[in-house]
Amino acid sequence: MNGKKGSYEINIPSTTKAKQPESRKQSGGGGGSGGGFSFKGWMWSVWEFGKEDSNRVKFSLKVGLAVLLVSLLILFRAPYDVFGTNIIWSILTVAIMFEYTVGATFNRGFNRALGSVLAGIFAIAIAQLALSAGRVAEPCIIGVSIFLIGAITSFMKLWPSLVQYEYGFRVILFTYCLIIVSGYRMGNPLRTAMDRLYSIALGGIVAVLVNVLVFPIWAGEQLHKELVKSFESVADSLEECVRKYLEDDGSDHPEFSKTVMDEFPDEPAYRRCRKTLNSSAILESLANSAKWEPPHGNFRHFFYPWSEYVKVGAVLRYCAYEVMALHGVLHSEIQAPYNLRLTFQSEIKEATSQAAELVRCLGKDLSSMKQSIKTSLLKKVHSSTERLQYAIDLHSYLLTCHSDPPDTSSKPLPKLLSHAVSYDLSDQLIDPSGQLNDPNPQTQDTPSGTLPLPPVTAESYHEMMRKQMRRLHSWPSREVDAFEEEGGLCMDTLPRMRALESTAALSLATFTSLLIEFVARLDHLVEAVDQLAVMAKFNHESL
């Protein structure tokens, strides 16, 4: 049903060939005899992982440096004589507090500091109260206080508005327990609490200084780059999807299991766009971390609108959903005929290129932090989409097998559809009553700009329909040989074939409507980017 220019081709993949790559992978996997561990392969994967993002290596080296600096306090005698064994809390603070980005480290450091101070105050107060209550009541008061602190902190960290301070409540719990219990055994809870607070403060200062001064990784810059990358992936995926849809003649249709698993190695832009749909948590996490960072780099004013980046990312995902829906039509089991797709090829390509250009322009403005006037680009996108809508409306009879071509002799045919070709042979062979007609191109009411159909016999039509049914063997579930068992093409089968052809033709209508909806959502994306540019005080630049 998807043959080029009226030709139909049946491609039945071989079972042995389909399983050959898998068997080769199993036999050659592991890089060694018997599929054992390969040290060389493991080292190469580590190298590629570090090369993919150099910040990972920088972060690892910075953590090692920070831990080394606080460990010197134990290795040298003088600091150890001052703090004693409590100096180990400095190392624990660095290991727990040191995060990937500067903003996340500040956030975690704030929770660590506040939790430790509150835990120390509570521990000292309860310890003094327990000492004054007497030797018998002291362990009872300490036990009840530990139970209450554990229950209250565990409940409060589940409160929706306090979820971001979950680590702080956790610090309060374990710091309080360690201080109150060790103070009870050592007999001096105040000295124990102060020494541990000093050690925690020392470790926190080292972690912050190393993270800020040595190759800093700013959450704001990461958020900015992540959002710009998402714009590029959506635009690339849109063009990739439309290009493959217009070039696909049905000769290499993927298996249904492959479609379900989303394994498309020849579509890298699709994979990047799919990651954009899952970037919501990443953007929100980076935005929350960026709020803790001081002005830096290109983000030099206080109270930078990081939350607007999350809003722009949400609108961009709103557009990416349509791109994923277009990919769903591209890899669906029911496909529009190749000739029908060629009918609207020019309009679809023009609307796609204009929409992708607008998305890339928005990503470029965001990357350079400049605000440009996009009125001309919006007009081009809207006009190309209107031409596509007009072409669909003018030739809507091609999208249903039961409709006759309208009389367009009084309407000038636009140049955009001068290449249109008729695709539906069954319309010329079957009337609404299900009878075969003798086609006569001279008497057909053929709209201007379309090619007349050649005469087709009932036998060739039968052969054509058998090939179409083989192409669409997965839906509806009906084997081609069933026609032969029933004694050929019966009159009861023809209406079902017409309905199947109509459904396949409507697949193109679905694809174009999704493309038009994507363009409609671009207006919201432009508004979101402009709002971010105003609040972030981007520089103005005329387009």
Side-chain angles (χ1 to χ4, degrees):
M1 196 167 184
N2 286 321
K4 284 189 177 181
K5 298 183 181 180
S7 63
Y8 296 86
E9 180 180 353
I10 300 174
N11 247 350
I12 303 178
S14 175
T15 306
T16 56
K17 290 184 178 180
K19 295 184 178 180
Q20 186 176 358
E22 183 179 358
S23 61
R24 184 185 297 119
K25 181 179 179 181
Q26 292 177 354
S27 61
S33 60
F37 175 76
S38 174
F39 181 77
K40 182 179 180 181
W42 179 77
M43 289 298 298
W44 177 255
S45 63
V46 172
W47 172 263
E48 290 294 328
F49 181 75
K51 186 179 178 181
E52 184 180 357
D53 187 0
S54 59
N55 287 333
R56 296 167 180 168
V57 180
K58 297 177 182 178
F59 169 71
S60 304
L61 297 178
K62 290 195 302 182
V63 173
L65 176 61
V67 174
L68 174 62
L69 292 178
V70 294
S71 299
L72 293 177
L73 299 177
I74 300 178
L75 299 177
F76 291 145
R77 186 68 184 178
Y80 185 78
D81 291 339
V82 176
F83 295 100
T85 57
N86 289 321
I87 199 65
I88 195 67
W89 284 69
S90 298
I91 301 177
L92 295 176
T93 301
V94 170
I96 296 174
M97 181 178 159
F98 209 102
E99 291 291 330
Y100 187 75
T101 61
V102 175
T105 302
F106 274 110
N107 186 7
R108 173 95 20 137
F110 172 79
N111 283 272
R112 175 73 172 173
L114 183 61
S116 300
V117 170
L118 292 178
I121 294 175
F122 292 155
I124 294 173
I126 297 298
Q128 295 298 328
L129 177 62
L131 287 175
S132 62
R135 195 68 180 171
V136 177
E138 182 180 1
C140 297
I141 294 176
I142 292 177
V144 172
S145 66
I146 292 176
F147 170 78
L148 292 177
I149 291 294
I152 293 174
T153 54
S154 299
F155 179 80
M156 294 302 295
K157 70 182 182 181
L158 299 177
W159 198 268
S161 59
L162 299 177
V163 171
Q164 56 181 333
Y165 304 109
E166 183 269 342
Y167 176 69
F169 290 109
R170 195 184 299 273
V171 170
I172 292 176
L173 177 58
F174 73 75
T175 303
Y176 175 83
C177 293
L178 292 176
I179 290 178
I180 196 70
V181 172
S182 59
Y184 173 74
R185 286 301 177 187
M186 295 179 182
N188 192 353
L190 180 60
R191 176 61 185 271
T192 302
M194 296 306 297
D195 287 345
R196 295 190 177 184
L197 290 177
Y198 290 150
S199 301
I200 292 173
L202 188 60
I205 292 174
V206 172
V208 170
L209 291 179
V210 172
N211 208 339
V212 174
L213 300 180
V214 181
F215 300 110
I217 304 174
W218 301 99
E221 294 182 357
Q222 294 288 324
L223 175 61
H224 189 82
K225 294 178 181 178
E226 189 73 22
L227 190 57
V228 172
K229 191 189 304 181
S230 298
F231 275 87
E232 291 292 332
S233 64
V234 171
D236 294 342
S237 181
L238 176 64
E239 289 185 334
E240 178 186 72
C241 174
V242 174
R243 175 182 56 81
K244 290 180 68 67
Y245 185 77
L246 296 177
E247 293 178 356
D248 182 23
D249 59 352
S251 59
D252 189 18
H253 190 69
E255 297 180 0
F256 182 70
S257 59
K258 181 180 179 182
T259 305
V260 172
M261 295 300 294
D262 285 343
E263 297 176 355
F264 306 114
D266 58 335
E267 299 179 23
Y270 165 78
R271 292 177 174 269
R272 294 196 301 269
C273 184
R274 190 173 58 181
K275 292 181 180 179
T276 301
L277 297 179
N278 302 326
S279 63
S280 175
I282 298 176
L283 296 182
E284 290 181 0
S285 176
L286 290 175
N288 292 331
S289 300
K291 294 177 182 178
W292 294 89
E293 296 177 347
H296 61 277
N298 296 325
F299 317 101
R300 297 175 181 174
H301 58 271
F302 291 94
F303 306 107
Y304 196 84
W306 297 114
S307 58
E308 291 298 318
Y309 279 82
V310 179
K311 294 180 180 178
V312 173
V315 179
L316 183 61
R317 287 194 304 275
Y318 188 65
C319 299
Y321 291 142
E322 295 299 321
V323 178
M324 301 303 289
L326 289 172
H327 273 276
V329 177
L330 171 63
H331 296 288
S332 62
E333 290 297 309
I334 303 175
Q335 292 290 336
Y338 179 75
N339 290 345
L340 180 60
R341 279 179 270 179
L342 289 181
T343 305
F344 305 96
Q345 180 181 22
S346 176
E347 292 76 16
I348 293 176
K349 279 186 174 180
E350 183 181 6
T352 302
S353 61
Q354 295 296 339
E357 182 181 358
L358 177 59
V359 174
R360 288 196 178 94
C361 179
L362 294 174
K364 183 179 179 182
D365 290 349
L366 186 63
S367 177
S368 59
M369 302 185 69
K370 295 181 180 179
Q371 186 178 11
S372 62
I373 302 175
K374 308 172 200 55
T375 306
S376 59
L377 282 177
L378 278 174
K379 287 183 178 179
K380 291 180 180 179
V381 173
H382 291 164
S383 60
S384 62
T385 307
E386 289 175 359
R387 282 192 290 270
L388 176 59
Q389 289 177 309
Y390 176 74
I392 294 293
D393 178 66
L394 185 63
H395 291 70
S396 59
Y397 63 91
L398 294 175
L399 303 179
T400 174
C401 295
H402 298 280
S403 301
D404 296 328
D407 185 9
T408 58
S409 57
S410 60
K411 297 181 181 180
L413 184 66
K415 296 181 179 179
L416 297 171
L417 290 174
S418 59
H419 64 283
V421 294
S422 297
Y423 79 100
D424 192 6
L425 298 178
S426 62
D427 279 342
Q428 309 299 326
L429 295 172
I430 309 174
D431 58 13
S433 62
Q435 300 293 331
L436 295 178
N437 298 328
D438 184 15
N440 190 355
Q442 284 75 19
T443 60
Q444 296 286 337
D445 185 10
T446 304
S448 59
T450 59
L451 299 176
L453 292 173
V456 182
T457 62
E459 182 180 359
S460 62
Y461 176 72
H462 172 52
E463 184 65 23
M464 180 194 69
M465 294 310 299
R466 290 179 72 255
K467 293 180 180 180
Q468 290 181 359
M469 292 301 294
R470 186 179 295 274
R471 167 64 181 84
L472 297 174
H473 66 278
S474 62
W475 190 92
S477 181
R478 184 180 176 88
E479 296 294 337
V480 179
D481 295 338
F483 295 108
E484 298 177 356
E485 296 176 0
E486 295 175 2
L489 190 67
C490 62
M491 301 307 298
D492 192 28
T493 306
L494 294 179
R496 290 201 294 268
M497 288 185 173
R498 288 178 60 107
L500 180 59
E501 289 179 358
S502 180
T503 303
L506 289 176
S507 168
L508 177 62
T510 303
F511 189 86
T512 55
S513 63
L514 290 173
L515 179 59
I516 295 172
E517 176 64 22
F518 175 84
V519 174
R521 297 186 179 191
L522 289 182
D523 293 339
H524 303 286
L525 184 60
V526 172
E527 293 177 3
V529 173
D530 289 341
Q531 182 69 17
L532 171 61
V534 172
M535 297 184 66
K537 301 178 182 179
F538 286 178
N539 298 326
H540 290 271
E541 180 184 89
S542 58
L543 187 63

